[in-house]
Amino acid sequence: MSDPTNPFTSTYVPPRVWSPATPSGGAFASINRPVAGKTHELELPEGKHPLQLYSLGTPNGQKVTIMLEELLAAGHAGAEYDAWLIRINEGAQFGSGFVEINPNSKIPALVDRSGPDPVRVFESGAILVYLAEKFGAFLPKNIPARTETFNWLMWQMGSAPFVGGGFGHFYAYAPEKLEYPINRYAMETKRQLDVLDRLLAGRRFVAGDEYTIADMAIWPWYGGLVLGELYDAGEFLAVHQYQQVRRWADEVGARPAVIRGRKVNRVRGKPEEQVLERHDASDLD
């Protein structure tokens, strides 16, 4: 029996076998389901460039558009791309064309048509590595520095779900505010910020003195947090405490390619920061 004076008690008792018998509520309830696969037939559009990106300007989506814009800024003309908007709140990621590229139905997803056969790439970290190796950029060649870059790229891929699916969900998107999960994930989010703050006290960028795909992966999440751009939670998380992360976030965020890349497929924020689709460099000017 629950105690109304104790915020950690609940009347909910898990059944022997779980079933989605009732609506889950929350911001994404209409598209959540316990099975994979397509829900409808929908072919994806194709543009003129070899690289076709299907995405949304979330932190995970921004990683890839930042990388592509950095490649173009560095003179890699082959990195020209078409970026198509995938509205995940409407379930577009469950269309047949998208599922063929990513059976897991998560953005971003990339198709490289520059070779004899199309290459599909999904998971944001995998796309960053693929592009870095394809163009020989933003990934060190010597083994120690390369390994350190991978260390922090994998750290981000494993840690960010606690920030987004954990803290962000319960703090911003859940149908009701629950103290226990918010406390649990706020604590983990702050621990991760402290990991970064201690790291960046001794180096300019995440993997060392060189700007790499590790920075591009981490900045949209943790840079966004300390800049107060995620979940409206800057004050709640006391992000002013993480001065080294803020120093790094400001430097990375001022890069022209980062400014451009974070606009692509963006559907929130100031109108001048939203470029729903990108098919030419002039779309961002």
Side-chain angles (χ1 to χ4, degrees):
M1 190 170 181
S2 64
D3 177 1
T5 66
N6 186 342
F8 302 111
T9 63
S10 171
T11 58
Y12 174 70
V13 177
R16 289 177 62 87
V17 178
W18 180 83
S19 174
T22 57
S24 61
F28 301 100
S30 63
I31 60 170
N32 288 339
R33 60 195 184 108
V35 296
K38 65 182 181 181
T39 60
H40 58 285
E41 296 293 330
L42 182 63
E43 292 187 8
L44 292 175
E46 293 181 15
K48 61 184 178 180
H49 300 300
L51 297 177
Q52 299 292 301
L53 178 67
Y54 304 93
S55 190
L56 180 68
T58 66
N60 283 336
Q62 288 177 30
K63 298 175 193 177
V64 178
T65 49
I66 287 171
M67 174 60 163
L68 289 165
E69 291 298 326
E70 290 282 11
L71 288 168
L72 291 170
H76 298 280
E80 272 292 351
Y81 67 103
D82 291 280
W84 303 93
L85 179 63
I86 300 296
R87 294 186 182 273
I88 61 174
N89 61 315
E90 297 176 3
Q93 70 274 31
F94 298 114
S96 57
F98 192 90
V99 173
E100 286 180 9
I101 299 174
N102 184 359
N104 195 39
S105 293
K106 301 290 184 182
I107 61 95
L110 178 75
V111 178
D112 182 357
R113 301 185 180 278
S114 62
D117 297 306
V119 176
R120 73 175 187 182
V121 197
F122 59 88
E123 290 296 327
S124 56
I127 297 173
L128 291 178
V129 174
Y130 178 83
L131 292 172
E133 292 184 335
K134 178 181 177 71
F135 293 101
F138 303 112
L139 180 60
K141 291 181 171 56
N142 74 80
I143 296 300
R146 183 181 180 88
T147 301
E148 183 70 352
T149 301
F150 281 134
N151 286 342
W152 290 103
L153 174 63
M154 299 307 161
W155 173 84
Q156 188 280 321
M157 296 296 292
S159 298
F162 290 96
V163 178
F167 173 75
H169 174 78
F170 287 105
Y171 183 79
Y173 300 135
E176 57 181 314
K177 305 297 183 188
L178 300 173
E179 184 176 359
Y180 175 77
I182 290 175
N183 283 346
R184 184 196 194 294
Y185 289 112
M187 183 178 297
E188 175 61 12
T189 298
K190 288 181 68 65
R191 187 192 69 81
Q192 292 175 20
L193 285 168
D194 192 47
V195 168
L196 273 183
D197 205 58
R198 293 168 184 263
L199 175 79
L200 290 165
R203 55 181 63 172
R204 180 180 177 187
F205 295 112
V206 169
D209 293 330
E210 185 177 342
Y211 176 68
T212 69
I213 56 173
D215 298 283
M216 299 178 205
I218 293 170
W219 186 86
W221 282 102
Y222 300 89
L225 274 175
V226 298
L227 295 173
E229 298 178 1
L230 282 185
Y231 312 123
D232 194 25
E235 182 179 8
F236 180 78
L237 294 172
V239 296
H240 65 277
Q241 298 173 336
Y242 309 105
Q243 296 182 14
Q244 295 301 325
V245 182
R246 180 59 190 258
R247 182 268 308 163
W248 163 83
D250 286 339
E251 180 175 357
V252 173
R255 295 176 67 91
V258 173
I259 294 170
R260 292 171 67 83
R262 68 195 305 264
K263 294 179 181 180
V264 181
N265 298 146
R266 189 174 180 138
V267 297
R268 293 183 178 180
K270 300 176 181 178
E272 62 270 23
E273 295 178 347
Q274 299 180 36
V275 178
L276 301 187
E277 293 184 0
R278 188 269 192 208
H279 304 290
D280 189 83
S282 62
D283 294 334
L284 295 170
D285 296 332

